Amino acid sequence: MNKKIMSITLLIAGGLLLFLYPFVMMANIMQLAAYPYVEKGFTLVLMNTFIFLTSIYPLTYIICLVVYLFKKKKSIVIPLIPLLQIVMAVIIFYPAVSLEAGS
């Protein structure tokens, strides 16, 4: 597959995730509202990291989109950054949930 087509496909896939953002942000706000009731320690660090990663996703996507559009030499790395951020958020989410359920 052509690098340009792959880059545009990745940008579109990252943009489609923005449709879910209002629901994710609502869940993040509810999680922050329950802050005093959350376990302390490593679970708290994981949950705060998850909330941070998912809350700044639109900012990351917009920056990557602008950099990709104005860069002369197109690279596949820039469109991958928002998707890697979501993958990192998912990887952090599972241990946080399992630690919370185990306590």
Side-chain angles (χ1 to χ4, degrees), residues 65-78:
L65 181 64
V66 169
V67 167
Y68 180 78
L69 291 176
F70 288 115
K71 196 172 181 185
K72 299 254 187 249
K73 185 177 178 187
K74 305 295 184 190
S75 170
I76 199 166
V77 175
I78 300 297

Side-chain angles (χ1 to χ4, degrees), residues 58-68 78:
L59 181 65
T60 305
Y61 180 76
I62 291 169
I63 290 171
C64 289
L65 181 64
V66 169
V67 167
Y68 180 78
I78 300 297

Side-chain angles (χ1 to χ4, degrees), residues 5-95:
I5 293 173
M6 180 66 96
S7 297
I8 292 172
T9 304
L10 291 172
L11 282 172
I12 290 172
L16 288 176
L17 291 174
L18 289 174
F19 286 116
L20 299 175
Y21 183 73
F23 303 108
V24 171
M25 196 62 198
M26 190 182 320
N28 287 347
I29 292 170
M30 289 190 302
Q31 181 67 29
L32 288 173
Y35 183 74
Y37 305 107
V38 176
E39 291 286 327
K40 303 292 182 211
F42 190 60
T43 306
L44 183 63
V45 170
L46 287 176
M47 289 308 291
N48 285 339
T49 306
F50 173 76
I51 290 170
F52 177 75
L53 285 174
T54 55
S55 295
I56 66 164
Y57 179 73
L59 181 65
T60 305
Y61 180 76
I62 291 169
I63 290 171
C64 289
L65 181 64
V66 169
V67 167
Y68 180 78
L69 291 176
F70 288 115
K71 196 172 181 185
K72 299 254 187 249
K73 185 177 178 187
K74 305 295 184 190
S75 170
I76 199 166
V77 175
I78 300 297
L80 271 177
I81 293 172
L83 296 175
L84 290 175
Q85 181 178 352
I86 294 299
V87 168
M88 285 177 16
V90 169
I91 289 171
I92 288 172
F93 179 72
Y94 284 113

